[in-house]
């Protein structure tokens, strides 16, 4: 009863309360405000304008694939801007993706139904896909573009190209007029110079049109020197002028700008063959096939160059793939080319027959000879080759071929497969 009670420790209780308050603050206020170390740090969102600027710069540098990706990023940032879809579609056409370009031009039309450039680029993309149906649709689209803006210089330039590609001779005068209208509206556009060059190239046999086309293509290249297609088209015109070294140089530039495109290698191959440099022609034919192993035309050219170098069994192998189809080295299918009046396809067929005759596969070779005489009687080269096949097979009966790898060339053989330019080499691919 006489024991003294201890006084409470006010200081300790105060400290204890402060600790509780600090713990509450730390758990409920401080920690939630801190970044999660296991989550990615957010990066600032770039503006559509800066993405568009990057895309335009990449396009000007000839980096078309990177430019396409940059335009796609800009579209993600601003999906309602039709000008981005139009710019993307234009880059895709130059890069060789016309179907994708058509889709993006149509996206622009959905966003801006009266946009002249959207219709113009759609028309251009359709034309690049080839075929009469696409060309007809392209004509409708380009006329729609001009209804919305008759002063659209690029639309007039595209119109000239589409008219040329229609294949109707009566359209050439209209195409020439459209190219002049484009020139008058804006003489400083790449498309303006290219349209003028395109019609001049298509009528190259008239006067000095090839020389004039070369000058216009060079003006277009001054505006943008990094577009592979322009160098290919310039090379085609130089080749038509027999300026082979300069043509090869332009194809080489195109190949550097777009290394995965087989077209420059193919054209270099044909140009070397024209000069009689068949070993070099074979090398570039092989490179073209590696770029696109399922293309039957590239296989056919590869086979022709094997034949020119007297590797007949390999010529038969490659030409069979081009004509009959089969499987590429990567296992993908190759669709064979049916016989037609196309000069290059005809060459594949009669060279195939000649190669089979050279290695004494005369059963199939003579069938090919009959096919050529029945279907290509108006083709002097095919008819001459058909007669040569019969002659070689008759000789094989009396003098069987022993060395089937490199039999000696004959005088008839050297003239049986003349090197000629075809529309696929002198026109836009």
């Amino acid at each position: 009863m006489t024991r003294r009670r201890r006084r409470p420790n006010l200081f300790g209780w105060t400290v204890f309360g402060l600790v509780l308050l600090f713990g509450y603050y730390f758990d409920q206020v401080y920690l939630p405000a801190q970044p999660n170390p296991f989550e990615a740090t957010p990066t600032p969102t770039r503006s559509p304008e800066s993405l568009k600027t990057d895309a335009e710069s990449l396009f000007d540098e000839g980096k078309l694939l990177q430019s396409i990706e940059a335009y796609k990023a800009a579209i993600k940032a601003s999906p309602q801007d039709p000008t981005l879809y139009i710019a993307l579609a234009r880059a895709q056409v130059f890069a060789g993706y016309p179907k994708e370009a058509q889709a993006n031009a149509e996206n622009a039309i959905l966003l801006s139904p009266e946009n002249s450039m959207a219709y113009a680029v759609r028309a251009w993309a359709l034309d690049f896909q080839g075929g009469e149906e696409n060309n007809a649709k392209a004509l409708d689209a380009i006329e729609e573009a001009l209804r919305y803006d008759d002063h659209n210089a690029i639309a007039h330039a595209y119109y000239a190209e589409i008219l040329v590609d229609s294949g109707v001779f009566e359209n050439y005068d209209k195409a020439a007029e459209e190219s002049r209208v484009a020139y008058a509206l804006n003489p400083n556009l790449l498309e303006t110079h290219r349209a003028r060059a395109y019609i001049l190239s298509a009528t190259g046999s008239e006067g000095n049109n090839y020389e004039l086309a070369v000058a216009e293509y060079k003006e277009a290249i001054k505006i943008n020197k990094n577009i592979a297609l322009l160098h290919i088209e310039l090379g085609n015109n130089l080749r038509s002028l027999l300026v082979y070294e300069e043509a090869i140089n332009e194809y080489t530039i195109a190949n550097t700008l777009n290394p995965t495109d087989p077209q420059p290698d193919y054209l270099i191959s044909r140009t070397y063959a024209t000069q009689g440099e068949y070993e070099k022609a074979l090398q570039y034919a092989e490179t073209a096939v590696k770029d696109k192993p399922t293309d039957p035309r590239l296989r056919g050219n590869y086979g022709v160059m094997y034949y020119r170098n007297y590797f007949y069994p390999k010529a038969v192998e490659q030409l069979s793939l081009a004509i009959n189809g089969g499987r590429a080295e990567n296992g993908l299918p190759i669709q064979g080319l049916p016989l037609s009046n196309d000069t290059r396809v005809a060459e594949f067929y009669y060279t195939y027959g000649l190669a089979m005759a050279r290695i004494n596969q005369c059963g199939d070779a003579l069938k090919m000879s009959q096919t050529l005489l029945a279907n290509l009687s108006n083709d002097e080269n095919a008819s001459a080759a058909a007669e040569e096949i019969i002659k070689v097979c008759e000789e094989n009966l009396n003098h069987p071929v022993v060395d089937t790898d490199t039999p000696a060339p004959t005088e008839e053989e050297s003239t049986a497969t003349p090197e000629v330019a075809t529309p696929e080499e002198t026109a836009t691919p």
Side-chain angles (χ1 to χ4, degrees):
M1 295 291 296
T2 60
R3 186 177 178 181
R4 296 181 60 186
R5 298 179 59 187
R6 296 182 58 184
R7 297 178 61 185
N9 189 341
L10 295 178
F11 177 79
W13 282 105
T14 301
V15 171
F16 180 74
L18 290 174
V19 169
L20 289 177
L21 288 172
F22 179 80
Y24 177 85
Y25 173 83
F26 187 84
D27 183 63
Q28 300 296 319
V29 179
Y30 178 79
L31 282 180
Q34 302 307 303
N36 188 336
F38 301 102
E39 292 181 355
T41 303
T43 55
T45 303
R46 292 184 60 189
S47 68
E49 291 77 13
S50 67
L51 292 168
K52 181 180 179 181
T53 299
D54 283 353
E56 291 171 344
S57 298
L58 289 166
F59 180 87
D60 291 339
E61 293 171 11
K63 299 176 180 178
L64 296 180
L65 298 182
Q66 295 96 317
S67 173
I68 288 169
E69 293 305 314
Y71 276 122
K72 288 179 179 179
I75 287 171
K76 284 184 179 180
S78 182
Q80 301 302 312
D81 185 351
T83 66
L84 294 175
Y85 292 95
I86 294 168
L88 171 59
R90 179 171 174 255
Q92 286 174 322
V93 173
F94 275 123
Y97 300 102
K99 287 185 179 180
E100 294 84 348
Q102 178 190 342
N104 281 300
E106 289 169 354
N107 287 335
I109 291 171
L110 290 174
L111 293 169
S112 181
E114 297 183 0
N115 191 310
S116 175
M117 273 305 302
Y119 283 97
V121 176
R122 178 176 182 268
W124 197 41
L126 281 163
D127 185 54
F128 257 76
Q129 294 175 53
E132 292 183 9
E133 183 178 352
N134 284 326
N135 183 264
K137 291 179 180 178
L139 286 170
D140 289 339
I142 202 66
E143 289 169 1
E144 188 79 2
L146 290 171
R147 275 195 289 272
Y148 288 121
D149 183 3
D150 189 47
H151 290 81
N152 185 337
I154 292 178
H156 283 285
Y158 290 163
Y159 197 9
E161 182 175 342
I162 294 166
L163 286 166
V164 170
D165 291 340
S166 69
V168 179
F169 182 76
E170 290 75 13
N171 285 343
Y172 277 34
D173 287 342
K174 175 66 173 173
E177 176 61 25
E178 289 298 322
S179 73
R180 286 191 286 268
V181 171
Y183 211 94
L185 288 170
N186 194 334
N188 300 315
L189 289 173
L190 181 154
E191 286 85 354
T192 296
H193 289 287
R194 182 173 178 272
R196 195 79 192 111
Y198 201 81
I199 182 63
L200 288 166
S201 178
T203 57
S205 58
E206 301 178 8
N208 64 336
N209 281 4
Y210 281 131
E211 289 92 338
L212 295 173
V214 165
E216 290 294 342
Y217 275 122
K218 287 182 177 179
E219 288 300 316
I221 288 171
K222 284 181 182 178
I223 296 171
N224 191 329
K225 64 180 180 180
N226 295 317
I227 295 178
L229 178 61
L230 296 178
H231 291 280
I232 289 174
E233 292 173 339
L234 174 56
N236 290 341
N237 283 270
L238 289 166
R239 185 182 173 199
S240 296
L241 290 169
L242 311 183
V243 189
Y244 297 128
E245 289 187 10
E246 291 186 28
I248 289 173
N249 182 60
E250 293 302 322
Y251 296 145
T252 302
I253 293 171
N255 203 27
T256 301
L257 291 169
N258 192 1
T260 61
D261 182 7
Q263 189 72 358
D265 291 307
Y266 166 77
L267 292 169
I268 293 172
S269 171
R270 299 305 308 191
T271 306
Y272 275 128
T274 301
Q275 296 176 277
E277 297 186 50
Y278 298 125
E279 187 174 349
K280 290 182 179 178
L282 177 60
Q283 293 172 358
Y284 281 94
E286 180 180 13
T287 303
V289 167
K290 288 180 178 177
D291 287 338
K292 195 174 183 181
T294 59
D295 190 320
R297 284 182 173 269
L298 299 180
R299 291 283 176 176
N301 180 63
Y302 195 19
V304 168
M305 298 313 159
Y306 265 131
Y307 182 86
R308 297 294 183 86
N309 283 277
Y310 316 124
F311 296 117
Y312 301 133
K314 291 184 177 180
V316 168
E317 177 186 350
Q318 294 301 323
L319 288 164
S320 177
L321 289 171
I323 292 168
N324 303 316
R327 294 277 174 181
E329 292 79 2
N330 57 10
L332 295 176
I334 299 171
Q335 187 70 39
L337 294 167
L339 182 61
S340 69
N341 291 322
D342 182 294
T343 305
R344 196 56 70 206
V345 172
E347 180 192 37
F348 299 158
Y349 271 79
Y350 64 69
T351 305
Y352 185 36
L354 286 166
M356 289 189 292
R358 299 291 177 193
I359 61 174
N360 207 11
Q361 292 182 4
C362 282
D364 291 330
L366 290 172
K367 289 179 183 178
M368 179 62 72
S369 176
Q370 294 171 357
T371 299
L372 295 171
L373 291 171
N375 295 281
L376 297 175
S377 58
N378 294 327
D379 187 321
E380 294 182 2
N381 297 326
S383 297
E387 298 297 333
E388 177 69 8
I389 289 168
I390 295 171
K391 180 179 179 181
V392 171
C393 286
E394 288 176 347
E395 292 175 352
N396 289 344
L397 287 173
N398 300 319
H399 305 285
V401 176
V402 177
D403 180 4
T404 61
D405 287 326
T406 56
T410 65
E411 181 179 351
E412 292 86 354
E413 174 196 318
S414 64
T415 59
T417 55
E419 181 66 25
V420 294
T422 62
E424 75 200 46
E425 296 172 12
T426 57
T428 302

